[in-house]
Amino acid sequence: MDMLWSGWGDPAQATPLPETVIGLLRDLLGVKPAATAPVTLDEIPVPESPLTGEALAALAGAVGDEAHVRTDAETRIRHTRGKSTPDLLRIRGGDVTDVPAAVVLPASHDDVLAVLRACAAHGLALVPFGGGTSVVGGLAPERRRPFVALDLRRMDGLLALDPVSRTATLQPGLRAPHAEALLAEHGFTLGHFPQSYEWATIGGFAAARSSGQASAGYGRFDEMVLGLTLATPEGTLEAGRVPRSAAGPDLRQLVLGSEGAFGVITSVTVRLRPLPRTRVYEGWRFASFEEGAAALRRLAQDGPRPTVLRLSDETETLIGLAQPDAIGAPDAPESAGCQAIAGYEGTAEDVAHRRELAAAVLRECGGTYVGEEPGERWAHGRYSAPYLRDALLDAGAFAETLETAAFWSRVPELYAAVREALTTTLTEAGTPPLVMCHISHVYENGASLYFTVVSAQGEDPVAHWAPVKRAAGEAILAAGGTISHHHGVGTDHRDWYVREAGPLGVEALRAVKRRLDPAGLLNPGVLLPSD
C-alpha cells in the first residue's frame, strides 16, 4: 500500500478535528479555513519526463525490465518530496517542481550498481527513496539536472539471521512493521519504534540516524548497526565485520547519517533483542517541566532506566498532545503540571524490578503516579501525531515540528531559547502560536527536545514559516544544541549543519563525496552544499 500522496499514511486512519477544537483554533489563534481547497491528484499538471529513450533503456536494462522504470504522472507525484508541513502544503497546491524524471525499482545490490552506472552515463542525479517519510527536505535535491527516484521497495527481505550472535541482515526497502514481523517469527525484535514506524524503512533509519520512542531501553538505530553495504558510483563499500574493532576509524559511522549523499545502503546488519514477554506503560505527573526533567536525568544517569521515558511540558500536557489520539480532551484534574510516560519491556521479573526501583526515584523527585491508563493511551496513539498534523492543515491551521538535543546542563537554556524564537517570530508576523515541547529521548549526558508549533497559516504559509524556521535554527546553535537529533539534515538543515560541522569537517566530508561520487550524482545539495 502506498502512503497518501498529499498527507501522511493510510487515509482510512485519518480523523478530522472535533468542532470544539476547530472553534478553539479559531478563537485562540485566529485560524481560518483555507481560501482554496487542495488540488486532487488528477488536477496536478506533471510535465513529460525529460529522459531520452536511450536513458530509459539504460535504466530498464539495469533493473532487468522496463516495468520497473516508471514515468507515469501518479508514480512521479508520489515520489515528490517528503512529508514535512511545507512539503505537504506545496503538493496540496499542485507544486511539483521537485518531481523526479522517473522512478526506478531495483531488486538487488547489483541492480543498484547498474542503475548508478546508467545514471553516470546519462548525466542523471539519483535520490534513494525508502518510505518517503523525510521531513527535512531529504528527497528534494538541487535541481541542476534531471533526477531519478530509486525506490527500494523490492529490496525488502531478511537476508540472514544469526540467533547465536543475535544479529540479522536486512535489505533497505524493508518497512519497519514487516521487519518486526519477520524477526518475531524467530523470537526477536529490533526495538526500534519511531513515530514514522508504520511507513519508514530499514535503509531510511540508517541513512538518517533514526531514534525510536523506546531508545532509552533499546538505543538509537545507529547503535544497533553492526555492518552495512553501500553501493556507490565507484563501487561497493563494506563496513563492519565484528561487533567492535580497533582497526582504524569506524567506516560505519561515515555512512550512517549520510542521507544518500555518499551511496545507496543496500543491506544492514543489526543486533537483535529477544521479544519482550511483558510490556507496561504508565503515567506520572510533575509540578513543572524543570522538576520532571531533573527526574528523567536521575534515571538516565543513575538508573534504573525504563525502556520508554519521555516528558511533556505544561502546554503539551494541558492541550492533551501527550496522547495525540485524545487531543483537546485532557483529564481533569490531572491536566495540571507535566505528564511523563515510563514504559518497561522485558521479562516479567525484569519489568517488575526496574519498575519498582524507578518508581522510588520518580517519587523522590516529586513525581505522582497516575496509573497505567495514561501510558497505555500513549502507546495506543504513539503513531497518531502525523495524522493530527494533517487534520490541522485541513482545518486551516499551520502545524510543524522540529527537534534538537543538548547536554543536560544546556537543556533549560535550549528549551527557553527555541520557545522564545518560535513565539516571538510568529507573533511579530501576526500569527501568535501555540508552542509545545517534550523530552523525547534521554541519555546519560543529555536529552532531546521535540517541539510542536501550531498557528494560523498566513497568506503564504510556506513563506510565512521560512523566517520562523531560520530563527529557531539560529536559537538552537546559539544555545549549544544540534540542528537535528533524529530527523536528519536534508536541505532544510544543511546550512546549519555546515556551521555545526565546521569548515574543516565539511571539507573532509566533501573529499569523501568526491571519492565515492565524483560526478555528484547522489542526492545533490542534500547534507552538503553542491560544489
Side-chain angles (χ1 to χ4, degrees):
M1 180 187 212
D2 287 323
M3 188 183 291
L4 178 65
W5 67 275
S6 59
W8 182 263
D10 179 0
Q13 295 188 37
T15 303
L17 292 177
E19 286 299 323
T20 54
V21 174
I22 293 176
L24 287 172
L25 292 170
R26 180 184 63 243
D27 297 340
L28 297 180
L29 301 179
V31 170
K32 301 175 182 178
T36 58
V39 300
T40 61
L41 183 62
D42 57 5
E43 290 176 332
I44 299 179
V46 180
E48 291 292 323
S49 173
L51 299 189
T52 64
E54 291 81 2
L56 290 170
L59 293 171
V63 292
D65 192 330
E66 63 181 14
H68 300 314
V69 179
R70 301 175 185 173
T71 59
D72 62 283
E74 180 175 341
T75 300
R76 292 164 64 204
I77 290 171
R78 290 184 179 278
H79 291 77
T80 300
R81 294 185 289 268
K83 297 298 182 181
S84 70
T85 294
D87 286 343
L88 296 188
L89 288 168
R90 291 175 66 189
I91 200 72
R92 287 175 175 216
D95 179 349
V96 288
T97 51
D98 298 308
V99 68
V103 177
V104 182
L105 292 86
S108 68
H109 174 81
D110 288 342
D111 280 3
V112 175
L113 288 174
V115 171
L116 289 170
R117 289 193 294 269
C119 287
H122 294 274
L124 303 175
L126 179 142
V127 175
F129 192 100
T133 62
S134 172
V135 292
V136 293
L139 302 175
E142 291 183 352
R143 299 187 302 275
R144 297 186 179 182
R145 66 182 97 177
F147 77 94
V148 300
L150 190 76
D151 189 320
L152 298 163
R153 71 179 64 192
R154 296 176 64 211
M155 299 176 66
D156 65 346
L158 169 61
L159 299 180
L161 189 140
D162 179 349
V164 176
S165 304
R166 291 185 176 176
T167 68
T169 300
L170 309 171
Q171 289 188 299
L174 190 60
R175 282 185 179 170
H178 189 196
E180 283 295 321
L182 290 173
L183 295 174
E185 293 176 3
H186 301 273
F188 293 109
T189 180
L190 269 174
H192 189 69
F193 305 103
Q195 196 172 80
S196 61
Y197 167 78
E198 295 172 311
W199 297 92
T201 61
I202 296 298
F205 291 155
R209 287 190 183 271
S210 174
S211 190
Q213 294 169 339
S215 64
Y218 291 104
R220 293 167 54 95
F221 192 80
D222 49 7
E223 296 170 336
M224 302 176 186
V225 175
L226 303 175
L228 52 82
T229 304
L230 188 75
T232 83
E234 293 294 286
T236 299
L237 176 67
E238 300 276 0
R241 58 187 297 163
V242 293
R244 295 289 186 272
S245 171
D250 190 345
L251 291 178
R252 292 172 295 191
Q253 299 304 317
L254 185 64
V255 177
L256 293 168
S258 60
E259 298 185 39
F262 298 157
V264 180
I265 295 170
T266 58
S267 71
V268 179
T269 298
V270 291
R271 60 115 169 107
L272 307 175
R273 297 281 172 82
L275 275 172
R277 298 179 183 178
T278 301
R279 291 185 175 94
V280 178
Y281 307 102
E282 61 188 29
W284 290 78
R285 290 280 170 158
F286 291 89
S288 68
F289 194 56
E290 180 181 11
E291 187 178 84
L296 266 61
R297 179 172 63 85
R298 276 277 304 274
L299 290 177
Q301 292 181 334
D302 302 327
R305 188 178 294 189
T307 309
V308 173
L309 191 59
R310 50 199 292 122
L311 173 74
S312 294
D313 70 2
E314 293 87 346
T315 307
E316 187 170 284
T317 300
L318 179 64
I319 296 300
L321 196 62
Q323 293 95 22
D325 58 342
I327 186 72
D331 293 332
E334 295 177 354
S335 57
C338 297
Q339 176 172 287
I341 299 295
Y344 305 87
E345 300 183 6
T347 65
E349 295 80 8
D350 171 65
V351 165
H353 181 66
R354 282 190 293 139
R355 192 180 179 196
E356 179 183 2
L357 294 179
V361 173
L362 293 170
R363 287 194 179 94
E364 183 182 334
C365 293
T368 300
Y369 178 67
V370 292
E372 293 183 21
E373 194 275 338
E376 294 300 325
R377 195 167 67 187
W378 168 81
H380 176 73
R382 65 197 298 185
Y383 309 126
S384 300
Y387 291 103
L388 173 61
R389 185 269 308 267
D390 288 0
L392 287 164
L393 293 182
D394 292 340
F398 186 94
E400 183 60 299
T401 63
L402 55 90
E403 43 79 28
T404 179
F407 291 115
W408 281 113
S409 60
R410 302 297 295 268
V411 165
E413 176 189 354
L414 180 63
Y415 172 71
V418 177
R419 277 186 60 90
E420 174 66 19
L422 293 168
T423 302
T424 299
T425 311
L426 279 164
T427 300
E428 290 177 349
T431 54
L434 188 65
V435 179
M436 298 161 279
C437 181
H438 63 265
I439 292 177
S440 57
H441 305 274
V442 297
Y443 307 95
E444 182 178 354
N445 307 110
S448 69
L449 295 173
Y450 191 101
F451 292 87
T452 301
V453 189
V454 180
S455 72
Q457 290 189 1
E459 293 299 320
D460 181 343
V462 175
H464 193 73
W465 174 247
V468 183
K469 177 75 170 179
R470 285 196 297 272
E474 293 301 314
I476 285 170
L477 289 195
T482 178
I483 198 59
S484 178
H485 170 263
H486 58 268
H487 282 170
V489 175
T491 54
D492 292 0
H493 294 154
R494 181 193 62 207
D495 294 345
W496 288 283
Y497 172 64
V498 164
R499 289 161 57 188
E500 191 174 323
L504 186 58
V506 169
E507 284 307 308
L509 292 175
R510 282 189 183 278
V512 173
K513 172 79 169 173
R514 284 192 293 267
R515 178 63 185 89
L516 298 179
D517 180 23
L521 305 176
L522 289 160
N523 238 357
V526 170
L527 185 69
L528 297 171
S530 298
D531 291 329

PDB file of all heavy atoms in Angstrom, residues 245-256:
ATOM      1  N   SER A 245      35.727  -2.912  16.908  1.00  0.00           N
ATOM      2  CA  SER A 245      37.074  -3.114  16.377  1.00  0.00           C
ATOM      3  C   SER A 245      37.924  -1.885  16.668  1.00  0.00           C
ATOM      4  O   SER A 245      37.412  -0.763  16.742  1.00  0.00           O
ATOM      5  CB  SER A 245      37.018  -3.358  14.864  1.00  0.00           C
ATOM      6  OG  SER A 245      38.318  -3.356  14.296  1.00  0.00           O
ATOM      7  N   ALA A 246      39.229  -2.116  16.821  1.00  0.00           N
ATOM      8  CA  ALA A 246      40.179  -1.012  16.947  1.00  0.00           C
ATOM      9  C   ALA A 246      40.976  -0.826  15.664  1.00  0.00           C
ATOM     10  O   ALA A 246      41.997  -0.131  15.660  1.00  0.00           O
ATOM     11  CB  ALA A 246      41.126  -1.270  18.122  1.00  0.00           C
ATOM     12  N   ALA A 247      40.500  -1.437  14.580  1.00  0.00           N
ATOM     13  CA  ALA A 247      41.211  -1.366  13.303  1.00  0.00           C
ATOM     14  C   ALA A 247      40.832  -0.081  12.563  1.00  0.00           C
ATOM     15  O   ALA A 247      40.094  -0.089  11.589  1.00  0.00           O
ATOM     16  CB  ALA A 247      40.893  -2.587  12.456  1.00  0.00           C
ATOM     17  N   GLY A 248      41.333   1.016  13.073  1.00  0.00           N
ATOM     18  CA  GLY A 248      41.132   2.296  12.405  1.00  0.00           C
ATOM     19  C   GLY A 248      39.766   2.903  12.662  1.00  0.00           C
ATOM     20  O   GLY A 248      38.935   2.360  13.403  1.00  0.00           O
ATOM     21  N   PRO A 249      39.496   4.068  12.052  1.00  0.00           N
ATOM     22  CA  PRO A 249      38.187   4.708  12.209  1.00  0.00           C
ATOM     23  C   PRO A 249      37.066   3.796  11.716  1.00  0.00           C
ATOM     24  O   PRO A 249      37.244   3.003  10.792  1.00  0.00           O
ATOM     25  CB  PRO A 249      38.304   5.962  11.330  1.00  0.00           C
ATOM     26  CG  PRO A 249      39.768   6.233  11.238  1.00  0.00           C
ATOM     27  CD  PRO A 249      40.419   4.889  11.252  1.00  0.00           C
ATOM     28  N   ASP A 250      35.908   3.908  12.328  1.00  0.00           N
ATOM     29  CA  ASP A 250      34.764   3.053  12.011  1.00  0.00           C
ATOM     30  C   ASP A 250      34.036   3.612  10.794  1.00  0.00           C
ATOM     31  O   ASP A 250      33.348   4.637  10.878  1.00  0.00           O
ATOM     32  CB  ASP A 250      33.829   2.995  13.216  1.00  0.00           C
ATOM     33  CG  ASP A 250      32.737   1.951  13.062  1.00  0.00           C
ATOM     34  OD1 ASP A 250      32.533   1.467  11.932  1.00  0.00           O
ATOM     35  OD2 ASP A 250      32.094   1.623  14.068  1.00  0.00           O
ATOM     36  N   LEU A 251      34.164   2.942   9.647  1.00  0.00           N
ATOM     37  CA  LEU A 251      33.540   3.429   8.416  1.00  0.00           C
ATOM     38  C   LEU A 251      32.017   3.357   8.461  1.00  0.00           C
ATOM     39  O   LEU A 251      31.345   4.047   7.695  1.00  0.00           O
ATOM     40  CB  LEU A 251      34.064   2.638   7.226  1.00  0.00           C
ATOM     41  CG  LEU A 251      35.536   2.873   6.867  1.00  0.00           C
ATOM     42  CD1 LEU A 251      35.935   1.999   5.693  1.00  0.00           C
ATOM     43  CD2 LEU A 251      35.790   4.338   6.547  1.00  0.00           C
ATOM     44  N   ARG A 252      31.476   2.540   9.367  1.00  0.00           N
ATOM     45  CA  ARG A 252      30.018   2.530   9.514  1.00  0.00           C
ATOM     46  C   ARG A 252      29.507   3.918   9.873  1.00  0.00           C
ATOM     47  O   ARG A 252      28.460   4.361   9.383  1.00  0.00           O
ATOM     48  CB  ARG A 252      29.597   1.532  10.601  1.00  0.00           C
ATOM     49  CG  ARG A 252      29.821   0.078  10.256  1.00  0.00           C
ATOM     50  CD  ARG A 252      29.563  -0.823  11.435  1.00  0.00           C
ATOM     51  NE  ARG A 252      30.525  -0.594  12.518  1.00  0.00           N
ATOM     52  CZ  ARG A 252      30.649  -1.390  13.576  1.00  0.00           C
ATOM     53  NH1 ARG A 252      29.882  -2.464  13.702  1.00  0.00           N
ATOM     54  NH2 ARG A 252      31.545  -1.129  14.511  1.00  0.00           N
ATOM     55  N   GLN A 253      30.246   4.594  10.721  1.00  0.00           N
ATOM     56  CA  GLN A 253      29.805   5.907  11.184  1.00  0.00           C
ATOM     57  C   GLN A 253      29.889   6.959  10.076  1.00  0.00           C
ATOM     58  O   GLN A 253      29.217   7.997  10.158  1.00  0.00           O
ATOM     59  CB  GLN A 253      30.636   6.357  12.390  1.00  0.00           C
ATOM     60  CG  GLN A 253      30.513   5.427  13.585  1.00  0.00           C
ATOM     61  CD  GLN A 253      29.063   5.236  14.008  1.00  0.00           C
ATOM     62  OE1 GLN A 253      28.291   6.192  14.062  1.00  0.00           O
ATOM     63  NE2 GLN A 253      28.683   4.002  14.310  1.00  0.00           N
ATOM     64  N   LEU A 254      30.685   6.688   9.066  1.00  0.00           N
ATOM     65  CA  LEU A 254      30.735   7.594   7.924  1.00  0.00           C
ATOM     66  C   LEU A 254      29.485   7.476   7.072  1.00  0.00           C
ATOM     67  O   LEU A 254      28.999   8.456   6.494  1.00  0.00           O
ATOM     68  CB  LEU A 254      31.977   7.280   7.075  1.00  0.00           C
ATOM     69  CG  LEU A 254      32.264   8.202   5.891  1.00  0.00           C
ATOM     70  CD1 LEU A 254      32.571   9.609   6.374  1.00  0.00           C
ATOM     71  CD2 LEU A 254      33.426   7.655   5.077  1.00  0.00           C
ATOM     72  N   VAL A 255      28.932   6.274   6.997  1.00  0.00           N
ATOM     73  CA  VAL A 255      27.752   6.028   6.163  1.00  0.00           C
ATOM     74  C   VAL A 255      26.463   6.358   6.912  1.00  0.00           C
ATOM     75  O   VAL A 255      25.537   6.947   6.351  1.00  0.00           O
ATOM     76  CB  VAL A 255      27.734   4.569   5.689  1.00  0.00           C
ATOM     77  CG1 VAL A 255      26.477   4.270   4.880  1.00  0.00           C
ATOM     78  CG2 VAL A 255      28.988   4.258   4.870  1.00  0.00           C
ATOM     79  N   LEU A 256      26.397   5.988   8.188  1.00  0.00           N
ATOM     80  CA  LEU A 256      25.201   6.279   8.977  1.00  0.00           C
ATOM     81  C   LEU A 256      24.987   7.789   9.052  1.00  0.00           C
ATOM     82  O   LEU A 256      25.889   8.542   9.397  1.00  0.00           O
ATOM     83  CB  LEU A 256      25.360   5.701  10.389  1.00  0.00           C
ATOM     84  CG  LEU A 256      25.401   4.177  10.472  1.00  0.00           C
ATOM     85  CD1 LEU A 256      25.850   3.732  11.863  1.00  0.00           C
ATOM     86  CD2 LEU A 256      24.036   3.583  10.147  1.00  0.00           C
TER      87      LEU A 256
END
